């Protein structure tokens, strides 16, 4: 690919230009308020490295205000007494508003994150809308059980026992920068369905769509304090939020490193915690498949969103017989991808999120070279403004290399051969992560033998990164715990209460 071919970022629409000029504010208790301190965060367009807006940098006092507002909204007021169909209707209204502003949101997301606008239109915005609509239906379907117990009381005593699910309370929700609006929606949807309240913190790199979402939440008519949005840095705003005693539950998506810190910070008050963390997901290719078809799937699995995907297929394991053919196909896709700025309609792969992330990815490439790996395509950054890294395919790797073990979070795939199924499964299970995996084969028996061996929260067969709000999602091992989405997502945001009533006779204690 010719680095000079990277075009300039097209101009933004009037609607987005207006939004970018908006003053830096926080959403607390249904109002856009001035942050307490003077510090501001520069919002950078990763396609140009230029500042495009300014966001508030919430401090401890802002965090305290937001948590109190969320607490009041949870304990008192209209939200507490809202009926399921009222919450459902509000959620649909919000989803409709997102749909109405879909093009503006896609543009904003592409600008803030660097992803191709075509992808924001296809994946991020419909995905966000889908989470609200899917979870809206659950508001009226949160149920419990009744039990046929053997409890004995004084003669004639009868018991009725049942469970109810109640909202867990005030939730701190911290999301990353790779799918900013989609992650915010994924987090907020179960909060709204169950009757919890939230203080949401978008990533400091990508605050824009969460703020626009905040405007639409107000327009939809949610009561004040149900959703509060604080922009700020992780180490300060995020840490203060996590440590705040007024928080009942923390829901986090991000690095394993920060997930561990959060789990520790949650301990003093035993906050409920759900963590969706890093991954190093294997793409396992069995010998019966057409190498060319699989190659395009495997390329998509790693290069989508510039590889900044928790489930990115960053380790490619191909059965020896077809390794060369698959590798050739993946390399061909890799060298043909059109790199460019987010808003350019022709762009197939955008820049990485930040200078920091580009440096991190380039350092991994350097360590791979030093440890003797061979780079087949890509391997460097084009000499052009914007945090670009070329799509990269690496071979001749060993299991103990950093590039094989650690999450790179960039457009970099390491390819390895295997001989038999057990060896392939063992190699795929190596390392600390267990978020997802894909198997490519039409050999039903081989697939059925492999699926139970894979230690991962999601296993795809002949596809990769297919994520739906109805399908539980989360990790094994150090990829986190808790399952979001589906019924499991509702359970994550509710406490189960057992009720035991002596309904006839004198009753009994103990
Ligand atoms: P990060 O884990 O530091 O950031 C994710 C979110 O956590 C952001 O909102 C950030 O402000 C917040 N945060 C950071 N430190 C915090 C703290 N001490 N307390 C509370 N909140 C905190 O991820 P970062 O530094 O942006 O990226 C580093 C690596 O993490 C990436 O290279 C990638 O490997 C991984 N990552 C994984 C993601 C995933 O989807 N699983 C998403 C983003 C990053
Ligand atoms: Mg970090």
């Amino acid at each position: 690919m010719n680095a000079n071919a990277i075009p300039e970022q097209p101009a933004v629409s009037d609607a987005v230009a207006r939004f970018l000029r908006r003053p830096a504010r926080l959403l607390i208790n249904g109002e856009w308020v001035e942050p307490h301190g003077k510090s501001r965060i520069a919002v950078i367009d990763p396609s140009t490295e230029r500042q495009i807006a300014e966001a508030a940098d919430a401090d401890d006092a802002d965090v305290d205000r937001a948590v109190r507002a969320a607490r009041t909204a949870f304990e008192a007021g209209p939200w507490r007494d809202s009926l399921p169909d009222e919450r459902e209707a509000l959620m649909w209204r919000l989803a409709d508003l997102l749909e109405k502003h879909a093009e503006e949101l896609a543009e904003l997301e592409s600008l803030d994150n660097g992803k191709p606008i075509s992808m924001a239109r296809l994946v991020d915005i419909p995905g966000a809308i889908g989470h609200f609509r899917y979870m809206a239906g659950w508001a009226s379907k949160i149920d419990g059980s009744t039990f046929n117990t053997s409890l004995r009381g004084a003669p004639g005593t009868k018991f009725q026992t049942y469970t109810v699910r109640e909202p867990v309370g005030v939730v701190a929700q911290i999301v990353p920068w790779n799918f900013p609006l989609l992650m915010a929606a994924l987090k907020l949807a179960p909060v709204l369905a169950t009757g919890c309240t939230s203080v949401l913190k978008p990533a400091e790199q990508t605050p824009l769509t969460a703020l626009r979402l905040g405007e639409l939440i107000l327009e939809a008519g949610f009561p004040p304090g149900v959703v509060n949005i604080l922009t700020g840095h992780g180490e300060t705003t995020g840490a203060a939020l996590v440590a705040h005693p007024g928080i009942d539950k923390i829901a986090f998506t991000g690095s394993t490193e920060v997930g561990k810190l959060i789990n520790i910070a949650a301990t003093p008050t035993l906050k409920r915690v759900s963590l969706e963390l890093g991954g190093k997901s294997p793409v396992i290719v069995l010998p019966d498949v057409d190498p060319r078809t699989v190659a395009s799937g495997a390329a998509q699995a790693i290069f989508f969103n510039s590889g900044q995907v928790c489930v990115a297929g960053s380790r490619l394991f191909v059965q020896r017989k077809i390794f060369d053919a698959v590798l050739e196909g993946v390399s061909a896709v890799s060298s043909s991808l059109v790199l460019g700025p987010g808003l350019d309609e022709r762009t197939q792969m955008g820049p990485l999120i930040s200078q920091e992330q580009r440096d991190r990815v380039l350092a991994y490439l350097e360590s791979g070279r030093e440890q003797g790996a061979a780079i087949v395509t890509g391997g460097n950054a084009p000499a052009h403004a914007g945090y670009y890294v070329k799509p990269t395919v690496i071979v001749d790797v060993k299991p103990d290399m950093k590039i094989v073990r650690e999450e790179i979070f960039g457009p970099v795939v390491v390819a390895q051969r295997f001989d038999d199924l057990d060896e392939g499964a063992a190699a795929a299970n190596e390392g600390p992560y267990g978020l997802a995996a894909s198997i490519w084969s039409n050999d039903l028996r081989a697939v059925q033998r492999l699926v139970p061996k894979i230690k991962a929260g999601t296993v795809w067969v002949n596809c990769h990164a297919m994520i739906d709000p109805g399908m539980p999602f989360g990790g094994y091992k150090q990829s986190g715990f808790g399952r979001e989405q589906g019924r499991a997502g509702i359970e994550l945001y509710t406490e189960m209460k057992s009720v035991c009533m002596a309904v006839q006779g004198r009753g009994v204690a103990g």
Side-chain angles (χ1 to χ4, degrees):
M1 192 186 319
N2 180 356
N4 299 328
I6 292 178
E8 292 309 308
Q9 174 80 301
V12 298
S13 66
D14 290 347
V16 163
R18 256 196 317 278
F19 182 78
L20 296 177
R21 286 194 297 270
R22 163 189 194 281
R25 295 281 189 270
L26 304 166
L27 178 59
I28 298 178
N29 205 27
E31 285 174 25
W32 292 103
V33 300
E34 268 295 328
H36 174 251
K38 297 246 172 307
S39 166
R40 298 287 181 273
I41 296 173
V43 183
I44 307 289
D45 171 2
S47 302
T48 62
E49 308 184 24
R50 285 198 290 265
Q51 181 173 345
I52 48 172
E54 201 174 65
D57 184 8
D59 68 9
D60 291 8
D62 297 317
V63 168
D64 191 54
R65 267 199 295 175
V67 175
R68 282 171 195 277
R71 173 61 56 192
T72 304
F74 180 69
E75 305 286 358
W79 190 240
R80 187 194 159 90
D81 298 325
S82 64
L83 297 173
D85 67 349
E86 291 166 345
R87 294 198 300 278
E88 181 173 358
L90 283 169
M91 292 176 76
W92 270 88
R93 207 175 297 156
L94 175 60
D96 290 349
L97 284 169
L98 287 167
E99 200 158 59
K100 181 174 158 200
H101 297 284
E103 183 56 23
E104 179 197 342
L105 287 161
E107 192 184 339
L108 213 46
E109 198 72 308
S110 166
L111 185 68
D112 202 6
N113 166 281
K115 66 179 68 206
I117 186 157
S118 57
M119 285 298 139
R121 282 186 194 125
L122 194 71
V123 177
D124 297 72
I125 313 306
I129 295 168
H131 279 290
F132 287 119
R133 289 197 177 138
Y134 171 82
M135 280 295 173
W138 270 108
S140 58
K141 292 161 198 72
I142 301 169
D143 57 12
S145 311
T146 57
F147 303 96
N148 200 9
T149 65
S150 303
L151 295 167
R152 289 177 175 82
T157 306
K158 287 201 171 148
F159 294 90
Q160 189 177 9
T161 58
Y162 59 94
T163 52
V164 282
R165 284 200 169 270
E166 298 180 343
V168 69
V170 178
V171 189
Q173 305 193 295
I174 299 178
V175 294
W177 41 260
N178 49 348
F179 296 91
L181 182 67
L182 184 55
M183 289 290 151
L186 189 159
K187 289 281 184 280
L188 286 175
V191 155
L192 301 177
T194 54
C196 294
T197 61
S198 170
V199 180
L200 173 79
K201 194 197 85 62
E204 49 270 49
Q205 297 86 346
T206 54
L208 297 180
T209 46
L211 294 169
R212 187 72 183 102
L213 175 66
E215 294 183 347
L216 298 178
I217 285 171
L218 295 189
E219 195 177 331
F222 285 92
V226 170
V227 178
N228 306 274
I229 300 177
L230 300 182
T231 53
H233 291 281
E235 300 73 20
T236 49
T237 316
L241 187 54
V242 164
H244 198 293
I247 296 291
D248 298 306
K249 169 181 166 58
I250 306 163
F252 173 75
T253 298
S255 62
T256 291
E257 181 194 358
V258 172
K260 289 177 184 176
L261 292 176
I262 285 178
N263 206 31
I264 293 167
T267 301
T269 54
L270 286 183
K271 298 176 175 96
R272 277 71 185 125
V273 178
S274 52
L275 301 173
E276 199 262 273
L277 308 176
K280 189 79 177 170
S281 298
V283 171
I284 308 164
V285 184
L286 304 191
D288 64 283
V289 292
D290 167 38
R292 223 173 303 168
T293 315
V294 170
S296 92
Q300 174 78 5
I302 181 62
F303 299 132
F304 170 59
N305 217 43
S306 304
Q308 303 167 124
V309 182
C310 54
V311 298
S314 50
R315 291 182 301 150
L316 176 61
F317 295 97
V318 187
Q319 210 280 341
R320 188 174 301 276
K321 271 190 243 165
I322 58 165
F323 180 84
D324 290 342
V326 171
L327 195 79
E328 194 182 312
V330 174
S331 305
V333 176
S334 162
S335 21
S336 74
L337 282 176
V338 177
L339 226 60
L343 294 178
D344 192 310
E345 299 281 348
R346 295 162 298 182
T347 295
Q348 293 174 324
M349 202 179 93
L352 300 188
I353 189 66
S354 61
Q355 170 102 42
E356 185 190 6
Q357 195 63 20
R358 181 179 57 184
D359 290 349
R360 181 180 287 145
V361 171
L362 292 176
Y364 274 115
L365 296 180
E366 199 43 47
S367 104
R369 277 194 195 92
E370 273 166 21
Q371 295 190 300
I375 291 177
V376 183
T377 60
N380 55 26
H384 192 279
Y387 308 121
Y388 297 97
V389 171
K390 290 184 195 165
T392 300
V393 179
I394 304 184
V395 292
D396 295 346
V397 294
K398 298 210 172 59
D400 60 343
M401 288 182 182
K402 269 169 66 116
I403 53 167
V404 177
R405 293 188 61 80
E406 296 180 16
E407 181 175 54
I408 298 178
F409 228 60
V412 181
V413 62
V414 294
Q416 293 164 269
R417 296 172 180 80
F418 70 90
D419 287 302
D420 66 65
L421 272 191
D422 288 340
E423 183 203 340
N429 283 332
E430 267 179 38
Y433 296 115
L435 193 56
S438 64
I439 301 169
W440 299 74
S441 171
N442 294 309
D443 178 345
L444 183 61
R445 284 167 182 242
V447 170
Q448 292 284 31
R449 266 184 59 208
L450 203 45
V451 170
K453 291 183 198 289
I454 300 298
K455 295 195 174 83
T458 301
V459 178
W460 292 288
V461 179
N462 296 325
C463 57
H464 194 100
M466 294 290 119
I467 291 171
D468 184 90
M471 208 171 104
F473 182 78
Y476 279 33
K477 301 198 282 183
Q478 293 186 36
S479 290
F481 46 71
R483 293 292 179 272
E484 296 182 302
Q485 307 179 163
R487 180 192 291 271
I490 291 295
E491 290 172 358
L492 211 52
Y493 285 86
T494 48
E495 291 276 15
M496 186 184 276
K497 178 182 280 176
S498 289
V499 182
C500 176
M501 285 188 198
V503 290
Q504 272 182 39
R506 283 188 292 113
V508 66

